[in-house]
Amino acid sequence: MTGFADAAREELRNPQLRRNLRKATTTIRAKRAAVVGEVDEWEALRDAGENVKQRAMADLATHLEQLEASVTRAGGTVHWARDAAEACAIVARLTRAAGSDEVIKVKSMATDEIGLNDALALQGITAHETDLAELIVQLADGDRPSHILVPAIHRNRSEIRDLFRATLPDAATVSDDPRDLAEAARRYLREKFLSVKVGVSGANFAVAETGTVGVVESEGNGRMCTTLPDTLITVMGIEKVLPTFADLGIMLELLPRSSTGERMNPYTSLWTGVTPGDGPQDFHLVLLDAGRTATLADPVGRDALHCIRCSACLNVCPVFERTGGHAYGSTYPGPIGAILTPQLSELKSGTDLPWASSLCGACYEVCPVKIDIPSILVHLRGRVIRETGGHKGESLAMEALARTFAHRRRYEAAQKAARLGALPLSKDGRIERRLPGPLKGWTAVRDLPAPPKQSFRDWWRENRG
Ligand code: SF4
């Protein structure tokens, strides 16, 4: 495995990163467990969430057309983007048409996914991130988000203090006290909120029957971006549509407890088209495909589209907790990234990510919409091997194992050969040295039990046969 494995090895050499990650994920995990434990009907809620997403995906085209009609009726304009390039071009064109060369942004995975900030920069348009963590990542030139919910989880507060001192105006003496850091960011952002004419957001949900679009966030910056500018442009993956307003209620119960470990989300902004004299007078909804239709065509993998980006699966993942998000090389890290990234790219990138898992199943247990991530990981491993010809060694090894296990004589001969082969490498019942060739990876970081001197079959023949 290349890509993730090499990047993970690199990240594992950074003890500060591991400390930051362990502290943050342990805290969020405990908060989530406490508030989820308060809800007696949590499992029923998860079932309901799963059902909503299954219904939405089963008839996606109809719901999207209904959403377009509802948004248009409410005074908004809907645009369809087949891929990242089309979506970026639409946002750039609309920004120019609004007479602006700047946008203020709500934290959004979809706009990260399409590389919107870089695309706008090429058109001479500056994007200002307004979510505190996204701002930190943006100010640290060359940095990238490493967590869905906490994009700067890889940085601690003294690193952030140094960054603010170096980059923000009037922050040369800021301390590493969280209140001070927030105040420095707040002073900087207020000026942007009040002067920039175009806001850009993602959407957590959009309701087909009413045309209502929603963003949930914790800082209030999203509310500023979606209410103060004259023009609001929302970029939304097509899988975010919900059939009815009642479905939104279920999602708003599931999301905050699973993501930030809160009973209720601090800021839930919902808007329906344009309201004369109140908020942006020009609203555009960009519906983004970018590999989602292709993902929907896979009867197993399509469940990845149910994701509501709560990040609970990242926080419980033993792999993510050690490597951090950058190792995944994708906008979507952790378990959800491992199943979403290869599918959205139609197996053109991220094809090593389905192997970036121990298949422990912790992600499935916490997922609020019950996405069976481990099963999808295994399914995608099969697809990658079959469709890309990757992981040839593993594929050949499995074929050889299947042939061996299918016949008693072959199986017993293989047992005998393994016993003889392992003899010179065994000590106290364990193989302690690195095995050669394709088995090297297995023994690089773990001991293997040595094959027993006598197999059960031989024992049975000798004693009971
Ligand atoms: S896969 Fe499930 S747990 Fe992970 S981010 Fe998506 S909704 Fe949350």
Side-chain angles (χ1 to χ4, degrees), residues 108-123:
S108 137
M109 301 302 296
T111 58
D112 280 355
E113 178 191 326
I114 62 175
L116 181 65
N117 292 8
D118 290 342
L120 290 180
L122 287 175
Q123 304 288 322

Side-chain angles (χ1 to χ4, degrees), residues 393-440:
E394 187 173 336
S395 164
L396 290 173
M398 289 298 162
E399 278 170 28
L401 270 180
R403 273 200 300 277
T404 307
F405 276 42
H407 297 279
R408 182 173 63 82
R409 275 182 213 289
R410 274 189 223 146
Y411 178 68
E412 289 183 355
Q415 277 186 321
K416 211 168 274 173
R419 242 186 337 263
L420 289 174
L423 257 182
L425 305 167
S426 308
K427 195 177 152 208
D428 300 329
R430 310 199 74 75
I431 296 173
E432 290 183 340
R433 265 185 283 152
R434 284 180 78 152
L435 291 175
L439 298 172
K440 196 166 62 184

Side-chain angles (χ1 to χ4, degrees), residues 32 148 255 258-259 303-304 306-314 316 333-337 339 362-364 366-371 373:
R32 177 204 162 270
I148 291 177
L255 183 55
S258 302
S259 57
D303 283 5
H306 295 185
C307 175
I308 57 172
R309 312 281 190 265
C310 72
S311 77
C313 58
L314 277 66
V316 296
I336 181 59
I339 58 171
C363 47
Y364 181 31
V366 296
C367 178
V369 286
K370 295 183 83 170
I371 301 173
I373 296 176

Side-chain angles (χ1 to χ4, degrees), residues 22-35:
R22 191 166 45 242
K23 188 162 187 290
T25 53
T26 309
T27 309
I28 304 177
R29 264 203 310 266
K31 278 181 77 181
R32 177 204 162 270
V35 294

